[in-house]
């Protein structure tokens, strides 16, 4: 999984060459401006597919993790859940296991998940 707002690793995997791209993702753990040779070589050898997820999907998945499982997870840690929730038809009829990890969410990121109503 990679954020649509930081697609360097995804584009490198697709193109088969290292590329640089912009990064403006909410998910700091996915904020990759450039790909690196060793991880890309491993991905090319072992990865069947690479999924980009939208920023809104990352935020929604982070909220779901907190609200439904009571686990504090950072947006990058909820990326796998974001991919499943964003495209359920892709996983229909299949047993799916996802790994959600990383609790390094800042208070500002946490607050941004639930904007306050104007007083």
């Amino acid at each position: 999984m990679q954020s649509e707002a930081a697609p360097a690793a995804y584009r490198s995997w697709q193109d088969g060459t290292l590329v640089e791209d912009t990064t403006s993702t909410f998910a700091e753990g996915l904020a990759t401006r450039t790909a690196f040779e060793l991880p890309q070589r491993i991905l090319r050898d072992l990865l069947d597919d690479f999924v980009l997820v939208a920023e809104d999907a990352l935020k929604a998945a982070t909220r779901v993790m907190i609200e439904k499982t009571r686990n504090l997870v950072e947006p990058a840690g909820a990326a796998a859940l974001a991919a499943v929730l964003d495209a359920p038809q892709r996983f229909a009829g299949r047993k799916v296991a996802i790994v959600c990890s990383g609790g390094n969410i800042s208070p500002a990121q946490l607050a941004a998940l639930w904007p306050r109503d104007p007083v």
Side-chain angles (χ1 to χ4, degrees):
M1 265 47 70
Q2 189 67 37
S3 169
E4 288 178 350
Y10 172 82
R11 288 188 48 229
S12 296
W13 179 78
Q14 273 201 322
D15 297 349
T17 185
L18 300 180
V19 300
E20 289 185 24
D21 208 326
T22 59
T23 179
S24 59
T25 181
F26 179 74
E28 293 171 350
L30 300 178
T32 305
R33 188 175 316 280
T34 185
F36 297 95
E37 184 56 42
L38 179 59
Q40 283 294 312
R41 194 170 348 134
I42 294 167
L43 292 173
R44 279 188 224 103
D45 288 346
L46 300 175
L47 196 62
D48 293 326
D49 198 6
F50 204 132
V51 178
L52 286 179
V53 292
E55 291 294 290
D56 287 344
L58 288 167
K59 290 176 183 179
T62 304
R63 284 191 303 269
V64 166
M65 283 295 298
I66 294 168
E67 291 173 342
K68 302 296 182 188
T69 71
R70 301 292 190 234
N71 287 298
L72 185 61
V73 65
E74 64 187 90
L81 180 59
V84 173
L85 295 176
D86 200 41
Q89 69 286 356
R90 179 182 194 148
F91 304 97
R94 300 166 67 184
K95 290 184 179 181
V96 177
I98 59 172
V99 176
C100 293
S101 63
N104 298 321
I105 191 167
S106 71
Q109 286 176 312
L110 192 56
L113 293 172
W114 287 279
R116 294 181 131 176
D117 292 328
V119 178

